[in-house]
Amino acid sequence: MRINRKYKQGLVDTVNIYNPYLTYAVTLTMKQRAKIRVKRFDNWDGEYNEFSVKLTEEIAIDQINYFNARLTHYAYGKDARKTSTKHYSQPLVVSAIEGLSSDKRIHIHAAIGNLPTKYLFEAHEWISKAWADCDFAYKHIKIKKLTDTEGWLDYMAKEVSDGNTDAICINSIKQPQSIQQLVGNRKLL
């Protein structure tokens, strides 16, 4: 497991470039199955087909992306689309999917920053509403002010030691252009 410890530390060190910008530690629990409603194309009377879908890794990643889109909407509204403000009007979201390789319920640990607020209750409301909009959102959610960012990132990467090298979703890091420019020359893995 020595290689995995080195990989874990390298992963934490790499993602730690976002440390100054991360302000909230979030745990989002996912349903194992969800009922999905899709509008029928053959009937224009507003009827829907409903079917059950089992949670997979691909769907979990899609849920992270959708959560980020909804969080962007609630936190920034139209500013996220305006040419003059969109380069900084997006939350910073670093996430890790946990439970894919075990029997426990799949959940997402996230470090979130760049929200336009000083108050935890506003961020809590936006994060809760954004998660509630996701199809696989389960009722258990934890949101805390982040005080030990490196410790939280280390916790997020804990499954690396179990052989899950995709613990932190490097490809799913959502960041505004303004932060991307600030971290500039530092490269991810």
Side-chain angles (χ1 to χ4, degrees):
M1 289 288 174
R2 217 177 233 157
I3 294 170
N4 286 340
R5 273 191 236 142
K6 287 181 182 179
Y7 183 81
K8 177 184 174 185
Q9 190 56 50
L11 186 61
V12 171
D13 290 345
T14 299
V15 179
N16 201 36
I17 62 174
Y18 298 110
N19 187 329
Y21 313 105
L22 298 169
T23 51
Y24 300 99
V26 179
T27 300
L28 308 166
T29 309
M30 302 183 86
K31 296 177 185 175
Q32 303 303 332
R33 298 187 82 74
K35 288 186 179 179
I36 308 295
R37 289 181 56 184
V38 179
K39 191 170 185 174
R40 291 178 54 175
F41 291 106
D42 60 344
N43 187 338
W44 301 104
D45 295 332
E47 293 182 20
Y48 291 86
N49 286 336
E50 190 171 273
F51 54 96
S52 181
V53 176
K54 185 177 177 174
L55 181 62
T56 63
E57 183 176 1
E58 293 80 22
I59 291 173
I61 291 170
D62 286 344
Q63 292 294 285
I64 292 170
N65 292 333
Y66 189 69
F67 166 76
N68 186 64
R70 299 307 299 157
L71 182 58
T72 301
H73 168 74
Y74 289 125
Y76 290 101
K78 293 179 183 177
D79 285 344
R81 294 187 304 263
K82 288 182 185 176
T83 306
S84 61
T85 56
K86 70 180 180 182
H87 73 282
Y88 60 84
S89 299
Q90 180 183 2
L92 170 61
V93 180
V94 178
S95 58
I97 301 172
E98 187 176 318
L100 292 170
S101 58
S102 67
D103 292 336
K104 60 183 166 182
R105 184 178 289 275
I106 297 173
H107 56 283
I108 298 166
H109 292 300
I112 298 176
N114 200 45
L115 293 179
T117 181
K118 294 184 226 175
Y119 304 106
L120 180 60
F121 77 90
E122 289 178 316
H124 190 283
E125 181 182 341
W126 294 331
I127 292 167
S128 297
K129 285 168 63 175
W131 184 239
D133 289 350
C134 296
D135 291 327
F136 285 85
Y138 192 62
K139 58 189 171 190
H140 295 289
I141 181 172
K142 289 182 185 175
I143 304 167
K144 293 183 179 179
K145 193 83 166 152
L146 193 54
T147 55
D148 178 14
T149 306
E150 190 166 357
W152 180 246
L153 294 174
D154 187 63
Y155 181 77
M156 287 172 56
K158 71 182 178 192
E159 282 205 356
V160 170
S161 59
D162 294 335
N164 179 7
T165 56
D166 295 329
I168 293 182
C169 307
I170 296 289
N171 294 337
S172 294
I173 292 176
K174 302 300 179 192
Q175 61 183 323
Q177 289 176 352
S178 59
I179 290 178
Q180 188 175 15
Q181 290 169 353
L182 288 173
V183 296
N185 296 331
R186 298 183 219 175
K187 302 245 188 242
L188 293 178
L189 290 181

